[in-house]
Amino acid sequence: MMLGALVGASLVISVAVETGRSVPDSLSPTTMSMQQKNSVLRPLVRSATECIVRAVSTDARFGDAMKTGKVGELIVDSMTPCLSQVRSMIDAYDRLFGDGSGEAFFMGPYLAVLPNVVTKQVRGAAAE
């Protein structure tokens, strides 16, 4: 069920309006090193993830979701308020690695680890 909802969320994200360029115009992705590309992407990934963590942790259903270990629905619902951050991350990835690579990153590696990252960050914040 979560996979279907995430696919739906990705469709919403893929039709959203681009929020602006994140890759400096003076740098060409073809001449940038992997380290430079990662330096551009890192704050965008962090911003999207922090937004999702905030949205999940402030959701009224959060306590029950943490008890049952089912934060997936909350993550899906967080996509709407975090759309601009997620879209910026995807767009920058596309500019750096080619069209379509941002959505592939989002739907693949990013979403694969997101539930664990959200759970870990929320638990870490609660322990402080």
Side-chain angles (χ1 to χ4, degrees):
M1 180 171 144
M2 185 176 144
L3 179 61
L6 288 174
V7 170
S10 74
L11 293 175
V12 170
I13 291 166
S14 67
V15 298
V17 178
E18 184 173 334
T19 60
R21 292 185 63 94
S22 299
V23 178
D25 290 328
S26 61
L27 294 175
S28 167
T30 57
T31 61
M32 293 174 71
S33 69
M34 187 58 79
Q35 182 177 8
Q36 289 171 314
K37 291 177 181 182
N38 285 334
S39 292
V40 170
L41 289 171
R42 195 172 303 115
L44 298 170
V45 171
R46 185 179 319 116
S47 175
T49 304
E50 288 173 353
C51 181
I52 292 167
V53 168
R54 240 184 341 270
V56 167
S57 65
T58 59
D59 191 297
R61 302 168 293 166
F62 172 69
D64 290 336
M66 287 299 288
K67 288 176 189 171
T68 61
K70 297 181 180 180
V71 297
E73 286 183 32
L74 302 183
I75 291 172
V76 170
D77 292 346
S78 74
M79 291 301 153
T80 300
C82 298
L83 190 60
S84 65
Q85 291 91 338
V86 172
R87 186 77 246 169
S88 292
M89 175 183 70
I90 290 171
D91 290 344
Y93 212 97
D94 280 348
R95 284 190 294 279
L96 291 169
F97 296 102
D99 288 343
S101 62
E103 189 171 342
F105 168 73
F106 174 75
M107 291 299 296
Y110 185 77
L111 287 182
V113 301
L114 189 59
N116 290 334
V117 169
V118 169
T119 301
K120 183 178 178 181
Q121 286 190 16
V122 168
R123 285 186 179 146
E128 291 178 354

